């Protein structure tokens, strides 16, 4: 679904669809000229999965109930995406499909960092 949305966004607008870039433009004001479009797309990213989950009667997740941990994780993701000039949808979906070297390298780094983190934490906590 993200790939299809990114393709339609690129064909209609001629721009790369990255959720962090859309949100960042709203936060820093650089995207004020197309704020309605940005808000609509971001609302769809949040509301559609919520509606589908509700229609399905809920879903099993491994999301923690620790609100502080969720907030810290969200801030870490937000800061990381701004530092990397993009998120998974921007680099992984749109970057790789356009053979962007920056997108490919960013994807390799964050997938590798995620794998290393899981391996390290499982090594410390156990679970292998």
């Amino acid at each position: 679904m993200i790939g299809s949305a990114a393709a339609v966004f690129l064909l209609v607008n001629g721009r790369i669809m990255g959720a962090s870039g859309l949100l960042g433009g709203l936060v820093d004001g650089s995207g004020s000229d197309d704020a309605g479009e940005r808000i609509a797309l971001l609302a769809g990213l949040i509301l559609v999965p919520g509606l589908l989950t509700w229609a399905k009667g809920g879903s099993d997740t491994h999301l923690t109930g620790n609100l502080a941990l969720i907030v810290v994780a969200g801030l870490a993701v937000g800061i990381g995406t701004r530092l990397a000039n993009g998120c998974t949808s921007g680099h992984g979906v749109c970057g790789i499909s356009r053979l962007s070297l920056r997108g490919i390298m960013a994807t390799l780094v964050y997938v590798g960092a995620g794998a290393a983190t899981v391996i390290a934490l499982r090594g410390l906590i156990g679970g292998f």
Side-chain angles (χ1 to χ4, degrees), residues 43-113:
L45 287 174
I46 296 168
L47 293 176
V48 170
L51 288 172
L52 291 174
T53 301
W54 174 77
K56 186 181 164 193
S59 67
D60 288 332
T61 69
H62 298 287
L63 183 64
T64 179
N66 185 337
L67 183 59
L69 184 58
I70 293 171
V71 169
V72 169
L75 288 172
V77 169
I79 292 168
T81 55
R82 291 305 279 180
L83 290 174
N85 284 330
C87 60
T88 53
S89 62
H91 286 299
V93 177
C94 301
I96 290 176
S97 65
R98 294 181 309 109
L99 301 177
S100 162
L101 180 60
R102 185 177 83 170
I104 293 169
M105 292 306 297
T107 303
L108 290 173
V109 168
Y110 66 68
V111 169

